[in-house]
Amino acid sequence: MRKKLAAGNWKMNGLVDSLSQVETLVAQHPAPGCDVLLCPPATLISAMSAIAGSALSIGGQDCHQAQTGAHTGDISAQMIRDAGGNYVILGHSERRADHDESDAQVAAKTKAAWDADLIAIICVGETEAQRDAGTTLQIIRDQLASSVPDGATGTNTVIAYEPVWAIGTGRTPSLPQIAQVHDDLRTTLTARFGTQGDAMRLLYGGSVKPSNADEIFATSNVDGALVGGASLKATDFGAIITALSKAH
Ligand code: 13P
């Protein structure tokens, strides 16, 4: 049985004041019926970890592939771990677009994350042009093949399907479209990793909110969500956690 995961990606949002949202979330969901994760900007990982207790896990939004060294402005997987993180998001489409991150870099970062005992959340997803061209499944299979290193297991890796055109737009794929991609992810991962591919959690991300969470969580092979905007407010993210806790 895969343990469901509600993950929030704060992106470049959040100041010390915003920690009150996390305090509220922990107070309202002290023992959620699913795994809960928040990935704040690096500046807040330590402070958020101190609030999180056992109610939620904390993660980073990226890490460098090296452990230490002359890489001004970067942070390592070990630093995320040291600050209290257990997870790191890798290969988010915003990193791929803004920083030209390649699949090979994502794979190298994933190995660095594993070495530091972090769970990697590897993101894949098509652009709108790719969907319109009918290449969605092929694009995602290619990303998966090159971004996920050998050695991935249900314990050290989570895959997030985030259609680029659904991020922050209020638009989502239809439920059959989500099911098609998630079923294909499962088939592809199981073919390569066997039972570990079956154990890997598959998150959907892109405009998840309280009003569409129930139906998305009822969709085939969806084991949770990677939530952007709606994870910033305790009430919205709390409602998504409740929806996932109830989902079968
Ligand atoms: P939104 O939920 O704001 O669409 O963002 C999704 C996302 O990119 C999470 O990583």
Side-chain angles (χ1 to χ4, degrees):
M1 258 304 270
R2 295 180 294 267
K3 186 111 190 266
K4 300 201 177 285
L5 173 61
N9 174 8
W10 276 24
K11 308 191 179 187
M12 200 174 72
N13 299 290
L15 301 173
V16 171
D17 269 359
S18 323
L19 294 171
S20 63
Q21 293 297 321
V22 186
E23 283 160 1
T24 304
L25 190 74
V26 170
Q28 290 177 352
H29 300 269
C34 60
D35 285 349
V36 178
L37 165 69
L38 278 177
C39 298
T43 47
L44 292 181
I45 291 175
S46 194
M48 210 182 262
S49 299
I51 298 168
S54 59
L56 70 149
S57 296
I58 305 300
Q61 300 175 9
D62 176 48
C63 69
H64 196 277
Q65 59 211 56
Q67 285 190 358
T68 55
H71 304 289
T72 302
D74 282 312
I75 62 168
S76 72
Q78 195 182 27
M79 289 168 181
I80 293 172
R81 180 86 198 173
D82 189 49
N86 295 104
Y87 286 79
V88 62
I89 299 169
L90 295 171
H92 191 283
S93 61
E94 288 151 15
R95 303 267 341 153
R96 291 177 185 265
D98 295 354
H99 300 274
D100 277 332
E101 277 190 15
S102 65
D103 288 334
Q105 272 174 299
V106 176
K109 289 176 178 210
T110 300
K111 289 187 196 163
W114 294 343
D115 285 345
D117 219 8
L118 296 181
I119 300 169
I121 302 182
I122 302 174
C123 302
V124 296
E126 83 285 3
T127 63
E128 186 152 35
Q130 289 164 336
R131 178 159 284 277
D132 291 345
T135 56
T136 296
L137 294 183
Q138 196 51 54
I139 291 291
I140 291 170
R141 286 178 199 152
D142 290 348
Q143 288 175 335
L144 217 52
S146 308
S147 304
V148 182
D150 291 341
T153 68
T155 312
N156 66 18
T157 302
V158 174
I159 305 295
Y161 167 52
E162 299 208 311
V164 177
W165 52 275
I167 294 175
T169 59
R171 299 164 59 208
T172 56
S174 68
L175 299 175
Q177 285 172 329
I178 295 176
Q180 183 193 37
V181 172
H182 279 243
D183 288 349
D184 198 69
L185 283 171
R186 180 70 64 212
T187 305
T188 307
L189 290 166
T190 305
R192 182 169 165 205
F193 298 106
T195 53
Q196 291 304 322
D198 195 45
M200 259 174 240
R201 295 179 287 181
L202 307 181
L203 310 184
Y204 168 77
S207 297
V208 176
K209 47 192 182 222
S211 59
N212 62 17
D214 282 328
E215 58 182 24
I216 290 172
F217 295 151
T219 302
S220 174
N221 273 309
V222 173
D223 303 310
L226 183 53
V227 184
S231 72
L232 294 168
K233 286 216 186 86
T235 44
D236 287 348
F237 196 48
I240 290 168
I241 291 167
T242 301
L244 187 58
S245 300
K246 286 187 320 204
H248 298 295

